[in-house]
């Protein structure tokens, strides 16, 4: 069990640029989640995959955000035309796909918009 | 929509003492799950303890225990024999058991300081 891995750890970009984050879940986990955490707040749910299928999306996931999990393993989260308000920690979590299993979180990717 | 409220932004405790962190939630569902997660500074979030709403018995994990009051929609975390390594942000989270939603709904967190 190597844990959930997220890359990069930090991303600094100018407003208007596109960014992409990667998440590698724990190998046997077929559920994968993305959350966003801003300073002083708890994580907020963005989206959820079961294998390669995106089954749930939050209203927070505007049309500038897109998430994929093409082969049911790693996932990417892309933000197009970044805005100041996108500055946050983006957390990925994974869990087993049977019943209600605990979600295991990665270290997150901290996004800073200049 | 479900909401989770943690009314204590910060708490402190002396090493070896006991501290209780509060959490209340709002839901119309009858079946759900509640969690406490710990997030140490600059480190990943870790599950501390979970409680199934249909279970009357309060969950316990070593020095961590909960006081689950379903009617009051209250879910507090008690940390006994506090250790320096317990210092962290603690988040209460809710997950519904109906409707197929997998999302966790988190509170804003409580920052716990452990004084030597």
């Amino acid at each position: 069990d190597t844990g959930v891995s997220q890359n990069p750890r930090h991303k600094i970009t100018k407003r208007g640029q596109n960014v992409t984050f990667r998440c590698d879940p724990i190998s046997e986990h077929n559920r994968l989640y993305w959350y966003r955490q801003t300073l002083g707040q708890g994580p907020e749910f963005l989206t959820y995959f079961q294998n390669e299928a995106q089954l749930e999306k939050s209203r927070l996931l505007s049309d500038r955000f897109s998430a994929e999990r093409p082969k049911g393993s790693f996932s990417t989260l892309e933000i197009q035309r970044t805005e100041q308000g996108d500055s946050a920690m983006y957390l990925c979590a994974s869990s087993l796909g049977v019943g209600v299993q605990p979600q295991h979180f990665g270290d997150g990717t901290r996004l800073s918009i200049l | 929509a479900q909401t989770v409220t943690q009314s204590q932004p910060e708490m402190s405790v002396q090493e070896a003492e006991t501290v209780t962190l509060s959490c209340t939630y709002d839901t119309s569902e009858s079946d759900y799950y509640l969690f406490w997660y710990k997030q140490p500074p600059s480190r990943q979030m870790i599950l501390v303890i979970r409680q199934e709403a249909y279970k009357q018995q309060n969950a316990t994990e070593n020095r961590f225990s909960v006081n689950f009051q379903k009617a009051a929609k209250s879910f507090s975390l008690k940390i006994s024999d506090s250790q320096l390594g317990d210092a962290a942000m603690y988040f209460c989270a809710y997950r519904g058991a109906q409707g197929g939603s997998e999302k966790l709904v988190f509170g804003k967190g409580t920052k716990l300081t452990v004084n030597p």
Side-chain angles (χ1 to χ4, degrees), chain B residues 61-110:
Chain B
E61 289 287 343
N62 300 313
R63 297 183 296 107
F64 298 88
S65 62
V66 299
N67 184 4
F68 173 49
Q69 301 289 328
K70 191 172 184 179
K73 296 181 181 176
S74 171
F75 182 61
S76 61
L77 174 70
K78 186 173 80 171
I79 306 174
S80 303
D81 186 26
S82 297
Q83 301 175 0
L84 295 178
D86 294 333
M89 284 293 294
Y90 285 81
F91 292 97
C92 179
Y94 169 100
R95 181 200 183 278
Q98 301 159 350
S101 177
E102 288 286 328
K103 71 178 181 183
L104 291 174
V105 178
F106 286 87
K108 291 187 176 182
T110 296

